[in-house]
Structures are given as C-alpha cells and as structure tokens.
Amino acid sequence: MVDLSSVNAFIPGKVELGAQEAGMIARRDRLLGPAYRLMYQKPLHFVRGEGVWLYDAEGRKYLDTYNNVVSLGHCHPDVVEAITKQVAMLCTNTRYLHETILELADGLLSTVSSELSHMMLTCSGSEANDLAYRIAKVRTGGTGIIITETAYHGITDSVSQFSPTLGEAVPLGSHVRTVRAPAAYRSGPNVADRFARDVEAAIADLQRHGIRPAMLIVDSIFTSDGILPEEPGFLKGAVEAIRNAGGIFVADEVQPGFGRTGSHMWGFQRHGVVPDIVTLGKPMGNGQPIAGLLTRHDVVEKFGNSARYFNTFAGNTVSCAAAVAVLKVIQRDRIMDNAREVGAYLLEKVGALRSRHQCLGHVRGAGLFVAADILRDRESQTGDRARTTRIVNAMRDDGVLISACGVDHNILKIRPPLIFSRENVDLFVEVLDKALEA
Ligand code: PMP
C-alpha cells in the first residue's frame, strides 16, 4: 500500500484531470516510479516563474504564497545574472582556490555571533543535517538525538531516522527521542520550562538506555510541528540542558533562515541563543542547490582533523555565486524589512478573518511565515483535516498556492517569497476568505 497520507498530496482518481495532465502523470509513474508525490488534487504544470508568480502551461498565473526556496522571488534578475556570468566563466569545486566561496563565508559569518567562525557547504538541507550529526558524534562521543515529535530534517539514511514526518513506514532510530513541540498557544504559559523539562526527560531516557546524547536539533520556527514562533526565548533552557548532558545544540535554519522571520536573519536569534551548529538550506541559492552549516572551531576541530571533507558539487563556483547574490539582495533591497512589514500586515489581515469564520482557529506568525489552524469548532479545538484540504485546493483553483502542516494536518502554511507586497496580501486574503466561506 502506497502511503499518500502526507499533507496535501495528490491522490489519483479523486478528481477528473485533463488529458495532458493525466498523460504526464502516467509517464511520471512509469518513468520515475512510486516514491514521488505531487501536490494538490489537481496537480500543477508550471512552465515559467517571475517574482511572486508562477505560470502554467495554459498561461494562467498563480500567486505563489508557498515558496521558501526562491525566497527572493522566481528567477530573481540578480541571481540569474550571477549564475549566468559564473557558469560561462568557470564551474569547479572546493579543491581549487576561488574567491567566491570566501566572499560567501565572510558574508554569512558576518550575520552570526563571532564564535561561529567556520562555514562548510553541502548541496541540500538533508546533507547539512547529516554532516552536523557526523560532527556532533565526533565532538561528543555520543549518538543520541532529541527532536520534536513532528520534526522534519531530511532524507539521508541517518537523517530520515530523526524525521518523523516521513511517516510510520520510515522508522525512527533507537538512538532518537522525540519531545512535544513547544506550542505555547496550545499548552498555555511556561512553554520554555515545559520544553526544557521534556528535553531533560528525553536526555534521562537516552542515558537510562546507555545512549550518550549527541545533539538536540530543532527547526527554530518548528515548521512541520505547525509553525511555532511564540514566545521568542523559549529555547534557552533546553539548549542548556543538552549542553549540561555533554551534547550540542543544532539550529536547523532551512525554513526560517535568510530573513524570513523579519526581525532576524536567523530563527535562533529570536531566541537569544547561539547554537553549536547552524544548518542552512533552501533559500540560500534562491533555487540553486546550495546548503551548508556554520559552526565553532572547537566543535568541528576533531572531525576536521580526522576526516577529509569533500562533496563534489557542494560549494561549486556557480552555486556560491548564486548564494553571494542572495546575500547582497537581502541587504541591498532591505528584504528583512519587507518580510517584517508585509508579514505584520498579512498576520493582521488573516487574523481579522477569525471574526467571520468560526473554523479559523489560532493565527500566528513571524515575518512572512504565517500559520492558521482550521478547526471543527473552537470549543474543542479539534483540527479539521478534511476542511483544510478543501481550503488548500479551493485556493489553488482560484490561483493562490499554499499548503498545510501539523500533526493533525489542519494548519494552513502561508510562506510566500520575501518580496511579497501588500497588494499580494490583499489578493491572498480575498481568496482565502472565499475558500473559508465555501
Ligand atoms: N530541515 C528542514 C527544517 C526542512 O524543512 C527541510 C526541507 N523541507 C530539510 C531540512 C531538508 O532539506 P532538503 O530538502 O534540501 O534536503
């Protein structure tokens, strides 16, 4: 039985499709095999993107309110120019001297506390977390990992063992412990204490089983746990707990990083902590496959002295040129200010819909990352997965793209490119309002 339980997956046979789409889906199945999934009940076939817009094969445009990869917008001209120039000049790897990787390291490291003094590059967020775990094991002598209950950190063999959202068919490692996600809006005040106590209990359980803790790793905005930005600062106690137990703290910035939260370049900075390792991904190259990590010298010293690190494509000159361009645009165009200002407007407008729609529960966000619970009723706070699916698909039919997340699959995940405008928000809210009404 194929698992199609993931949030917002296309389920064959549910709705009638045009001949072209049906034909392409059949070819995908034949050529790509059973592991791939498509989004939406009517899968989309895009041929072009520009800014916040995606264009399908018929020329219809869709407002992309779901893209944290091209977070400066589709086909951003500065990134396109940087890649084009570099690919026409030279594409080589990190075994040769090259200026651009150094410029990138200088740029990235200037955005974090000076203790974090090294950058290492990978091709994906999964590889970054895989590398972080290898470093953590060497640094701590342990293997134990603590994650939140609905975490996602990636797809390699070792990382899939600490990515519970891959589903029950993908087993968690026996060295992995999960803790409740720090959802202040569900569990009430003292979220920091509760989270720290849960992490301490997980540490004790690892130790009782003879497993030495290596790392606590969290997505610092808890995306797949339902997007949990409130109240900033709640990570401190948990970070202390893992360090006291000899482990390290890894902040996975694949989702909140590169300015999405509006107030800070990195999600962990909202919490007033400095991680031992920061992992980076998706938005880093605005679509180019570049990811990596930042860390302290003492954390990586033993690993670096004992293991050679070479990753053929990671840190190639073209990907580095893309990432340097991304950093420049974030600074030059005051992208974080836009994320903060337009994000606040988006949060306010989505929140205002609560008075008209009983099914709309808690609405929360940080910058251009907003979540809204869809409930059966507010009294019981029971999530309404079926309605969430209908809303996501109705919006898609009306030309606006979002998706859903959370343990009950009932949370609207609103995550537009960081160049989103107030005008884009107005259109988004109009379409959301209509979908909630239906
Ligand atoms: N960490 C988090 C928090 C993610 O959201 C993702 C991707 N969704 C990853 C890691 C893995 O990144 P990639 O798909 O680039 O391997």
Side-chain angles (χ1 to χ4, degrees):
M1 181 70 189
V2 177
D3 170 38
L4 287 171
S5 65
S6 66
V7 183
N8 190 20
F10 162 65
I11 300 174
K14 268 214 153 178
V15 295
E16 207 162 310
L17 301 172
Q20 199 196 8
E21 281 75 24
M24 283 179 89
I25 291 168
R27 276 178 70 212
R28 265 175 70 102
D29 289 348
R30 181 163 50 80
L31 296 169
L32 309 184
Y36 282 89
R37 304 287 183 273
L38 287 159
M39 285 169 80
Y40 302 105
Q41 278 167 5
K42 279 193 212 146
L44 287 154
H45 174 194
F46 291 125
V47 293
R48 188 167 77 81
E50 188 182 352
V52 294
W53 300 101
L54 282 164
Y55 295 81
D56 74 9
E58 269 88 55
R60 181 175 182 205
K61 67 178 190 176
Y62 291 77
L63 183 66
D64 188 353
T65 319
Y66 189 60
N67 217 315
N68 63 343
V69 177
V70 289
S71 69
L72 303 177
H74 293 275
C75 305
H76 191 286
D78 288 67
V79 182
V80 171
E81 191 191 340
I83 296 169
T84 313
K85 268 194 183 155
Q86 187 58 53
V87 80
M89 178 98 76
L90 176 75
C91 186
T92 50
N93 60 57
T94 54
R95 280 173 164 161
Y96 301 104
L97 294 170
H98 199 269
E99 269 300 328
T100 314
I101 191 170
L102 302 176
E103 194 183 346
L104 176 61
D106 269 334
L108 279 173
L109 293 166
S110 74
T111 66
V112 292
S113 158
S114 58
E115 295 158 56
L116 298 166
S117 56
H118 298 317
M119 172 197 80
M120 293 172 80
L121 295 178
T122 61
C123 300
S124 70
S126 302
E127 277 186 10
N129 287 329
D130 193 283
L131 179 61
Y133 182 49
R134 289 182 63 201
I135 294 170
K137 283 193 290 185
V138 174
R139 162 71 173 179
T140 64
T143 54
I145 303 173
I146 300 168
I147 51 165
T148 52
E149 58 195 351
T150 323
Y152 181 72
H153 296 291
I155 55 159
T156 68
D157 182 36
S158 90
V159 180
S160 64
Q161 294 181 47
F162 57 94
S163 290
T165 47
L166 284 171
E168 287 185 2
V170 182
L172 291 184
S174 55
H175 57 297
V176 175
R177 295 294 180 275
T178 61
V179 292
R180 290 176 294 177
Y185 81 99
R186 284 200 297 263
S187 56
N190 300 328
V191 67
D193 285 350
R194 194 173 317 104
F195 191 56
R197 279 201 309 274
D198 285 352
V199 168
E200 280 163 6
I203 290 168
D205 192 56
L206 283 170
Q207 289 167 336
R208 202 175 312 125
H209 288 85
I211 300 166
R212 200 191 286 188
M215 67 180 188
L216 163 68
I217 178 167
V218 301
D219 163 352
S220 64
I221 194 121
F222 299 88
T223 308
S224 51
D225 287 296
I227 305 166
L228 307 172
E230 299 154 338
E231 293 285 325
F234 64 70
L235 286 178
K236 273 188 184 154
V239 172
E240 254 169 50
I242 190 69
R243 286 183 177 148
N244 289 341
I248 65 167
F249 171 58
V250 180
D252 179 334
E253 292 291 332
V254 168
Q255 295 276 353
F258 291 90
R260 176 158 296 277
T261 64
S263 58
H264 296 83
M265 183 75 164
W266 310 106
F268 68 80
Q269 290 169 331
R270 300 176 65 244
H271 289 276
V273 294
V274 181
D276 302 290
I277 299 181
V278 180
T279 56
L280 319 169
K282 292 182 191 279
M284 188 167 175
N286 209 52
Q288 278 291 302
I290 179 165
L293 60 81
L294 309 178
T295 189
R296 287 200 315 272
H297 182 74
D298 62 293
V299 173
V300 73
E301 188 173 17
K302 193 168 167 200
F303 175 88
N305 289 340
S306 54
R308 166 178 72 86
Y309 180 70
F310 176 61
N311 183 333
T312 304
F313 295 121
N316 76 74
T317 49
V318 177
S319 295
C320 285
V324 166
V326 166
L327 281 183
K328 280 187 185 152
V329 173
I330 289 174
Q331 276 154 16
R332 184 196 67 199
D333 295 353
R334 306 177 70 85
I335 292 290
M336 271 167 55
D337 291 348
N338 192 65
R340 189 171 59 249
E341 284 155 23
V342 178
Y345 182 60
L346 173 65
L347 188 63
E348 180 200 317
K349 296 278 277 190
V350 176
L353 294 177
R354 291 185 78 245
S355 61
R356 311 205 318 102
H357 302 284
Q358 281 304 305
C359 69
L360 195 55
H362 191 261
V363 175
R364 58 198 168 277
L368 277 167
F369 211 157
V370 170
D373 291 8
I374 302 298
L375 305 174
R376 221 163 275 159
D377 66 275
R378 285 190 194 162
E379 202 64 37
S380 69
Q381 291 283 309
T382 318
D384 194 338
R385 178 179 178 168
R387 189 194 278 257
T388 309
T389 304
R390 286 200 300 275
I391 292 167
V392 168
N393 283 284
M395 293 184 73
R396 171 249 177 263
D397 292 344
D398 273 344
V400 172
L401 305 179
I402 59 165
S403 194
C405 62
V407 66
D408 297 324
H409 299 211
N410 73 311
I411 298 168
L412 300 180
K413 186 166 158 192
I414 307 163
R415 193 186 49 189
L418 304 183
I419 53 162
F420 219 57
S421 67
R422 283 175 162 253
E423 203 187 346
N424 298 148
V425 172
D426 290 338
L427 172 60
F428 170 80
V429 171
E430 190 188 315
V431 172
L432 173 61
D433 192 14
K434 193 175 148 208
L436 289 166
E437 191 74 55

